[in-house]
Amino acid sequence: MKQRVGIIGGGFIGNALAQSLNKDKYDVTLSYRSNKPELAILDVNYEFCDVDRDSVTGGEALFQVDSLIVCIPPGFKKDMGDSYTPRIKTIINKAQNSKVKQVVFTSSIGIYSKAGINDENTELDLSVNKVKVLYDAEQEVLNSRLQYKQVLRLGGLIGGSRQPGNFRVVITEENANEPVNMVMQEDVVEAIIAVIDDAFSQTLSQSKHQAVYNVVAPHHPNKQSFYRYARQQADTLTTTEIIGNPITTEGRLVKGDLITQKLDFSYQHDNFFESFSTNVV
């Protein structure tokens, strides 16, 4: 019997995940909010679903699944952060009532606000609003009655339509030496699939029923070299962006190696410069 997978959030990650899941192994249902995509993915079911603070409209088929993948961004740039945790709570409550076995929630490394090296055990500064919002949303998942619940804290997303050579990032003396914490779309998709497969493997240990993993490539060049190389490849580099004497700053580095130790997963894109030169990015 095929494993049933529902994906709420048909954006950059959700859509790519729906495309990548093996349709011989998985029965995939993908949500949409406004119009059903004209270019539908072969053998993917589409279901209208709208989530607000108190209810889920439509989307019944999304909750008649074994694994539910929640790929809803917090919407900080649209001032939607205040409604994020209530919306996640609404999804989790419906998932519990619908007897969903597993929820995989895509969070963000924005939950780490401190400079220095950060991993899954880093103490979080909950006085920072963005951190508190992400933390509270994660806790709705981790404190639920679901049998399997995993949180993936994603690094900066690149690949596909997100070409870093076109990002409007301003390089300054203050940030030029800070490390980047990026991850390729393809690696995020494969990480989610690894989490899904692991949850239903016969060798699953009790400790892995609940987990938090950072998904960040192990390559952390500084911002100046990363964006310079990306912009060279995209032919968007200008000489005014080159900082001759950047200030030495520690910046924030997020480690994403725990998931490679615990699951059958490895980063396929572990050197961004190689990915840029082969036109993968």
Side-chain angles (χ1 to χ4, degrees):
M1 180 180 292
K2 292 184 179 180
Q3 186 172 330
R4 299 165 300 166
V5 177
I7 305 170
I8 297 182
F12 185 70
I13 295 301
N15 191 69
L17 176 63
Q19 288 181 317
S20 298
L21 284 166
N22 185 334
K23 307 311 182 296
D24 292 331
K25 183 177 180 180
Y26 305 99
D27 184 1
V28 182
T29 301
L30 179 64
S31 76
Y32 68 92
R33 288 185 60 193
S34 52
N35 298 316
K36 183 177 179 180
E38 294 182 4
L39 298 175
I41 303 169
L42 185 65
D43 294 329
V44 168
N45 307 304
Y46 286 85
E47 183 85 356
F48 171 79
C49 181
D50 190 26
V51 181
D52 60 27
R53 301 175 69 101
D54 304 309
S55 64
V56 178
T57 303
E60 289 303 319
L62 289 162
F63 292 87
Q64 304 305 313
V65 296
D66 302 300
S67 299
L68 180 64
I69 318 303
V70 182
C71 302
I72 300 178
F76 291 123
K77 293 181 180 180
K78 298 180 180 179
D79 294 325
M80 296 173 60
D82 290 344
S83 67
Y84 190 55
T85 298
R87 292 170 70 205
I88 299 304
K89 181 178 182 178
T90 297
I91 292 172
I92 297 304
N93 286 341
K94 188 170 180 65
Q96 291 177 147
N97 294 335
S98 302
K99 309 301 182 184
V100 173
K101 296 178 182 178
Q102 178 191 35
V103 166
V104 180
F105 175 57
T106 59
S107 185
S108 166
I109 61 166
I111 202 167
Y112 304 115
S113 60
K114 299 177 182 178
I117 296 176
N118 293 265
D119 62 20
E120 290 83 353
N121 295 316
T122 295
E123 183 178 354
L124 305 176
D125 184 356
L126 299 181
S127 68
V128 178
N129 180 64
K130 180 179 180 180
V131 175
K132 184 68 162 57
V133 168
L134 293 170
Y135 174 80
D136 287 347
E138 291 183 0
Q139 291 305 301
E140 291 295 338
V141 178
L142 297 172
N143 292 332
S144 70
R145 302 188 309 274
L146 293 159
Q147 184 176 3
Y148 307 115
K149 41 204 175 182
Q150 288 86 17
V151 172
L152 302 184
R153 294 171 176 169
L154 309 184
L157 300 172
I158 59 175
S161 61
R162 296 192 179 187
Q163 305 298 318
N166 297 322
F167 289 1
R168 295 180 179 178
V169 176
V170 178
I171 305 301
T172 66
E173 290 182 350
E174 288 76 20
N175 69 16
N177 272 331
E178 293 179 357
V180 300
N181 298 284
M182 298 289 186
V183 65
M184 289 284 290
Q185 178 189 52
E186 180 182 356
D187 280 329
V188 173
V189 167
E190 291 303 317
I192 295 172
I193 294 174
V195 169
I196 295 172
D197 289 346
D198 184 75
F200 296 95
S201 69
Q202 293 182 351
T203 59
L204 180 70
S205 65
Q206 185 67 31
S207 63
K208 292 161 74 178
H209 281 212
Q210 174 177 321
V212 176
Y213 298 117
N214 297 331
V215 184
V216 183
H219 189 207
H220 299 275
N222 65 40
K223 287 184 178 180
Q224 174 159 257
S225 60
F226 176 82
Y227 284 106
R228 179 190 296 177
Y229 200 93
R231 289 165 180 170
Q232 285 175 337
Q233 299 303 307
D235 197 25
T236 57
L237 181 68
T238 64
T239 56
T240 57
E241 297 177 79
I242 300 174
I243 307 299
N245 296 297
I247 298 172
T248 299
T249 53
E250 183 178 21
R252 179 190 62 153
L253 189 150
V254 179
K255 298 182 66 177
D257 57 340
L258 180 63
I259 190 171
T260 67
Q261 300 166 13
K262 298 294 185 180
L263 303 181
D264 183 18
F265 169 76
S266 61
Y267 293 97
Q268 299 304 303
H269 300 278
D270 56 4
N271 186 305
F272 294 125
F273 299 147
E274 290 181 2
S275 297
F276 293 152
S277 62
T278 55
N279 296 318
V280 175
V281 182

